[in-house]
Amino acid sequence: MVDRNLLREFDVGEDELRSEIEQSLSHEKVSDLASLFEQTGQVFEVGHILSGRIIDVVGDNVVVDVGYKSEGLVPLNEWDDGEKPLPGQPIEVLLEGLEDEGGEILLSKRKAARIRGWERVTSECKEGDVVTGMVTRKIKGGLLVDIGVNVFLPASQVDIRRPGDIADYIGKQIQCKILKIDESRRN
Protein backbone atom coordinates (compact mmCIF):
# COMPACT_ATOMS: atom_id res chain seq x y z
CA MET A 1 0.00 0.00 0.00
CA VAL A 2 1.36 3.42 -0.95
CA ASP A 3 1.26 6.29 1.55
CA ARG A 4 0.54 9.24 -0.76
CA ASN A 5 1.10 11.79 2.04
CA LEU A 6 4.60 10.44 2.59
CA LEU A 7 5.30 10.63 -1.13
CA ARG A 8 4.06 14.23 -1.27
CA GLU A 9 6.29 15.09 1.68
CA PHE A 10 9.32 13.97 -0.32
CA ASP A 11 7.96 15.58 -3.48
CA VAL A 12 8.12 12.45 -5.61
CA GLY A 13 6.15 12.81 -8.83
CA GLU A 14 3.69 10.14 -10.01
CA ASP A 15 5.75 9.48 -13.18
CA GLU A 16 9.00 9.23 -11.23
CA LEU A 17 7.36 6.85 -8.74
CA ARG A 18 5.96 4.63 -11.50
CA SER A 19 9.36 4.57 -13.23
CA GLU A 20 11.17 3.54 -10.03
CA ILE A 21 8.67 0.76 -9.33
CA GLU A 22 8.92 -0.60 -12.88
CA GLN A 23 12.70 -0.45 -12.74
CA SER A 24 12.75 -2.24 -9.37
CA LEU A 25 10.50 -4.99 -10.64
CA SER A 26 12.14 -5.37 -14.03
CA HIS A 27 12.51 -8.98 -15.13
CA GLU A 28 16.30 -8.79 -14.96
CA LYS A 29 16.37 -7.73 -11.29
CA VAL A 30 13.68 -10.22 -10.26
CA SER A 31 15.62 -13.05 -11.92
CA ASP A 32 18.77 -11.88 -10.08
CA LEU A 33 16.89 -12.20 -6.78
CA ALA A 34 15.63 -15.64 -7.77
CA SER A 35 19.14 -16.79 -8.68
CA LEU A 36 20.48 -15.51 -5.35
CA PHE A 37 17.80 -17.54 -3.56
CA GLU A 38 18.61 -20.64 -5.62
CA GLN A 39 22.33 -20.28 -4.82
CA THR A 40 21.65 -20.97 -1.16
CA GLY A 41 20.71 -24.53 -2.15
CA GLN A 42 18.21 -24.65 0.70
CA VAL A 43 14.83 -26.25 0.10
CA PHE A 44 12.37 -24.90 2.65
CA GLU A 45 9.99 -27.84 2.72
CA VAL A 46 9.06 -29.87 5.78
CA GLY A 47 11.25 -32.97 6.02
CA HIS A 48 14.37 -31.46 4.40
CA ILE A 49 17.72 -31.00 6.14
CA LEU A 50 18.97 -27.40 6.22
CA SER A 51 22.35 -25.89 7.01
CA GLY A 52 22.30 -23.03 9.46
CA ARG A 53 24.17 -21.09 12.09
CA ILE A 54 23.39 -20.81 15.80
CA ILE A 55 22.41 -17.25 16.76
CA ASP A 56 21.68 -17.51 20.48
CA VAL A 57 20.31 -19.63 23.31
CA VAL A 58 17.04 -18.22 24.70
CA GLY A 59 15.46 -20.11 27.59
CA ASP A 60 14.99 -23.76 26.60
CA ASN A 61 15.51 -23.08 22.87
CA VAL A 62 18.43 -22.52 20.55
CA VAL A 63 17.76 -19.86 17.90
CA VAL A 64 19.10 -20.89 14.48
CA ASP A 65 19.37 -18.90 11.24
CA VAL A 66 18.86 -21.11 8.17
CA GLY A 67 18.36 -18.28 5.66
CA TYR A 68 14.57 -18.33 5.88
CA LYS A 69 12.53 -15.17 6.48
CA SER A 70 12.41 -15.97 10.21
CA GLU A 71 14.71 -17.81 12.58
CA GLY A 72 14.10 -21.35 13.72
CA LEU A 73 14.01 -22.92 17.15
CA VAL A 74 15.68 -26.14 18.26
CA PRO A 75 14.88 -27.43 21.77
CA LEU A 76 17.98 -27.17 23.98
CA ASN A 77 17.45 -30.75 25.22
CA GLU A 78 18.51 -32.03 21.77
CA TRP A 79 22.14 -31.37 22.74
CA ASP A 80 23.98 -34.04 24.73
CA ASP A 81 24.94 -33.21 28.32
CA GLY A 82 28.58 -32.35 27.54
CA GLU A 83 27.72 -30.48 24.36
CA LYS A 84 26.97 -26.75 24.40
CA PRO A 85 25.51 -24.75 21.48
CA LEU A 86 27.65 -21.70 20.75
CA PRO A 87 26.61 -18.59 18.76
CA GLY A 88 28.14 -18.65 15.29
CA GLN A 89 28.49 -22.43 15.28
CA PRO A 90 27.34 -24.14 12.04
CA ILE A 91 24.60 -26.74 12.41
CA GLU A 92 22.48 -29.12 10.33
CA VAL A 93 18.80 -29.30 11.25
CA LEU A 94 15.65 -30.97 9.97
CA LEU A 95 12.79 -28.65 9.05
CA GLU A 96 9.80 -29.97 11.03
CA GLY A 97 7.33 -27.14 10.59
CA LEU A 98 6.96 -23.71 9.01
CA GLU A 99 6.03 -20.76 11.23
CA ASP A 100 4.43 -21.72 14.51
CA GLU A 101 2.27 -19.30 16.51
CA GLY A 102 5.38 -17.25 17.38
CA GLY A 103 6.42 -16.90 13.73
CA GLU A 104 9.48 -19.16 14.07
CA ILE A 105 10.15 -22.33 12.12
CA LEU A 106 10.47 -25.62 14.01
CA LEU A 107 13.77 -27.45 13.64
CA SER A 108 15.36 -30.64 15.00
CA LYS A 109 19.08 -31.23 15.39
CA ARG A 110 18.63 -34.79 16.67
CA LYS A 111 16.45 -35.94 13.74
CA ALA A 112 18.84 -34.40 11.19
CA ALA A 113 21.77 -36.25 12.81
CA ARG A 114 19.79 -39.51 12.76
CA ILE A 115 18.98 -39.10 9.05
CA ARG A 116 22.61 -38.23 8.16
CA GLY A 117 23.84 -41.20 10.21
CA TRP A 118 21.44 -43.54 8.43
CA GLU A 119 22.51 -42.16 5.03
CA ARG A 120 26.17 -42.74 5.94
CA VAL A 121 25.54 -46.30 7.17
CA THR A 122 23.53 -47.30 4.10
CA SER A 123 26.10 -45.79 1.71
CA GLU A 124 29.12 -47.39 3.46
CA CYS A 125 27.69 -50.72 4.66
CA LYS A 126 25.79 -53.59 3.13
CA GLU A 127 24.32 -56.85 4.38
CA GLY A 128 27.09 -59.25 5.40
CA ASP A 129 29.59 -56.50 6.38
CA VAL A 130 31.27 -56.63 9.77
CA VAL A 131 30.98 -53.35 11.70
CA THR A 132 32.27 -52.12 15.05
CA GLY A 133 30.02 -50.30 17.46
CA MET A 134 29.48 -49.32 21.08
CA VAL A 135 26.74 -51.09 23.04
CA THR A 136 24.66 -48.23 24.46
CA ARG A 137 21.87 -49.96 26.35
CA LYS A 138 19.77 -53.04 26.94
CA ILE A 139 16.25 -53.11 25.52
CA LYS A 140 13.54 -55.75 25.34
CA GLY A 141 14.88 -58.67 23.36
CA GLY A 142 18.46 -57.46 22.91
CA LEU A 143 20.88 -54.57 22.82
CA LEU A 144 21.22 -51.22 21.06
CA VAL A 145 24.57 -50.80 19.34
CA ASP A 146 25.76 -47.41 18.04
CA ILE A 147 27.45 -47.79 14.64
CA GLY A 148 26.73 -44.18 13.65
CA VAL A 149 23.05 -44.85 14.27
CA ASN A 150 21.52 -47.06 16.93
CA VAL A 151 20.88 -50.56 15.58
CA PHE A 152 19.25 -53.56 17.24
CA LEU A 153 21.25 -56.65 18.17
CA PRO A 154 18.94 -59.52 19.19
CA ALA A 155 19.91 -61.22 22.47
CA SER A 156 20.06 -64.56 20.63
CA GLN A 157 22.79 -63.12 18.36
CA VAL A 158 25.01 -61.54 21.06
CA ASP A 159 27.32 -64.58 21.39
CA ILE A 160 27.57 -68.20 20.28
CA ARG A 161 25.94 -69.18 23.58
CA ARG A 162 23.44 -66.82 25.12
CA PRO A 163 25.23 -65.01 27.98
CA GLY A 164 23.73 -64.90 31.47
CA ASP A 165 23.23 -61.13 31.47
CA ILE A 166 23.56 -59.24 28.20
CA ALA A 167 23.74 -56.00 30.20
CA ASP A 168 27.41 -56.84 30.80
CA TYR A 169 28.07 -55.69 27.21
CA ILE A 170 26.88 -52.10 27.85
CA GLY A 171 29.71 -49.63 27.28
CA LYS A 172 31.86 -52.13 25.35
CA GLN A 173 33.00 -51.99 21.72
CA ILE A 174 31.86 -55.07 19.82
CA GLN A 175 32.06 -56.33 16.26
CA CYS A 176 28.83 -57.38 14.58
CA LYS A 177 27.79 -58.68 11.21
CA ILE A 178 24.94 -56.89 9.45
CA LEU A 179 22.27 -59.50 8.80
CA LYS A 180 19.54 -57.32 7.30
CA ILE A 181 19.01 -53.69 6.27
CA ASP A 182 15.42 -52.52 5.86
CA GLU A 183 15.73 -49.14 4.13
CA SER A 184 12.00 -48.47 4.02
CA ARG A 185 11.77 -48.71 7.82
CA ARG A 186 15.28 -47.30 8.42
CA ASN A 187 16.07 -50.39 10.42
Side-chain angles (χ1 to χ4, degrees):
M1 189 162 135
V2 177
D3 185 353
R4 300 277 178 207
N5 293 330
L6 182 63
L7 294 176
R8 284 188 202 103
E9 183 179 320
F10 289 103
D11 196 32
V12 176
E14 193 72 32
D15 294 338
E16 186 180 352
L17 175 63
R18 190 168 277 117
S19 170
E20 286 293 324
I21 290 172
E22 286 174 5
Q23 186 178 3
S24 295
L25 297 176
S26 72
H27 180 67
E28 187 175 305
K29 287 189 178 187
V30 171
S31 67
D32 287 348
L33 288 174
S35 69
L36 283 174
F37 180 73
E38 289 170 7
Q39 287 175 8
T40 66
Q42 303 271 42
V43 177
F44 295 103
E45 292 179 9
V46 173
H48 281 83
I49 293 179
L50 306 172
S51 296
R53 196 163 293 285
I54 295 173
I55 296 175
D56 200 4
V57 178
V58 178
D60 291 337
N61 291 305
V62 177
V63 182
V64 177
D65 178 18
V66 292
Y68 192 64
K69 63 184 178 181
S70 60
E71 286 83 21
L73 298 178
V74 178
L76 187 57
N77 64 10
E78 291 199 14
W79 272 260
D80 295 330
D81 291 334
E83 199 178 9
K84 184 178 179 190
L86 301 171
Q89 181 180 19
I91 185 172
E92 274 195 326
V93 291
L94 178 74
L95 180 59
E96 291 191 295
L98 291 171
E99 297 192 22
D100 65 0
E101 61 277 350
E104 294 90 7
I105 55 177
L106 303 175
L107 306 170
S108 174
K109 172 186 176 286
R110 189 174 288 147
K111 289 178 182 177
R114 196 175 307 139
I115 290 169
R116 288 292 191 228
W118 176 252
E119 289 172 351
R120 185 189 57 74
V121 167
T122 56
S123 68
E124 295 175 4
C125 303
K126 60 186 182 305
E127 291 179 2
D129 286 355
V130 176
V131 295
T132 301
M134 174 71 73
V135 178
T136 57
R137 65 183 186 174
K138 178 181 172 182
I139 59 172
K140 182 179 179 181
L143 298 170
L144 277 184
V145 181
D146 184 357
I147 62 168
V149 292
N150 283 326
V151 294
F152 178 67
L153 174 61
S156 62
Q157 302 289 321
V158 170
D159 207 340
I160 295 172
R161 290 187 195 98
R162 187 172 177 148
D165 187 11
I166 61 173
D168 294 341
Y169 285 89
I170 296 173
K172 294 183 179 176
Q173 288 276 347
I174 61 171
Q175 286 191 326
C176 303
K177 187 177 198 176
I178 297 175
L179 299 177
K180 183 177 179 186
I181 297 175
D182 186 351
E183 290 196 37
S184 63
R185 292 177 51 207
R186 290 189 179 170
N187 189 3

